[in-house]
Amino acid sequence: MLPGLVGYRVRLAQMAIFSSFDEALAHLDLSPGLFGLLVIVEANPGLKQNQLAVAARLDRSTLVPALDRLESRGLLERQAAPCDKRSNAVFLTPKGTRHLARAKIAVEVHEQDIGSALNPSERAQLLTLLDALAPRHR
């Protein structure tokens, strides 16, 4: 039964891709989730923590420890949000910017590697099909 289940096959693919990602970024000590947070913060400097949680689709109990880890490594910093001193705004540090630049290069190589079995048309089709499975989560 399992091989015929879409969710099972997607999960197997995710496990393989995450394992490959871990290998590709081991030297930078970044998981897919931490990488994603850094990318979102880079694109949205000063984003409030609650907005970051929504963008990353994480709850507070997951987000805060991840931010603690990134902050303890000097990759990002939290500051009181200018318009709401009760909220924290999140920024990359210069070290975080450099670290993320190296990570992006590794992720590009990783993407080329995991997608090497697909031609550009197949890749585009796969992304379309994945979006069809989870339209609310795009």
Side-chain angles (χ1 to χ4, degrees):
M1 177 181 184
L2 290 178
L5 298 176
V6 172
Y8 178 74
R9 298 286 287 272
V10 168
R11 178 68 174 137
L12 290 179
Q14 179 201 28
M15 289 168 56
I17 291 167
F18 275 30
S19 176
S20 174
F21 187 100
D22 285 343
E23 289 175 25
L25 275 79
H27 65 291
L28 296 171
D29 190 25
L30 283 179
S31 66
L34 294 178
F35 173 77
L37 290 174
L38 291 175
V39 169
I40 294 169
V41 171
E42 178 189 47
N44 304 279
L47 194 66
K48 291 182 192 176
Q49 274 187 217
N50 61 336
Q51 295 169 318
L52 177 57
V54 170
R57 294 175 179 84
L58 298 173
D59 59 39
R60 182 172 169 73
S61 66
T62 304
L63 178 68
V64 171
L67 293 179
D68 289 345
R69 284 180 48 203
L70 293 169
E71 192 170 36
S72 72
R73 293 173 56 193
L75 301 179
L76 63 77
E77 62 185 5
R78 290 175 270 199
Q79 301 172 2
C83 298
D84 181 1
K85 300 295 183 198
R86 298 170 298 159
S87 298
N88 284 325
V90 186
F91 299 88
L92 288 184
T93 63
K95 178 181 177 181
T97 300
R98 292 188 304 272
H99 199 73
L100 181 57
R102 288 190 299 274
K104 285 181 174 181
I105 293 167
V107 168
E108 291 280 337
V109 172
H110 162 73
E111 276 289 306
Q112 290 172 2
D113 182 48
I114 64 168
S116 64
L118 304 174
N119 66 42
S121 175
E122 291 168 330
R123 184 182 190 282
Q125 182 181 19
L126 175 60
L127 294 176
T128 298
L129 292 170
L130 290 170
D131 281 347
L133 291 176
R136 295 183 313 261
H137 298 290
R138 274 185 256 144

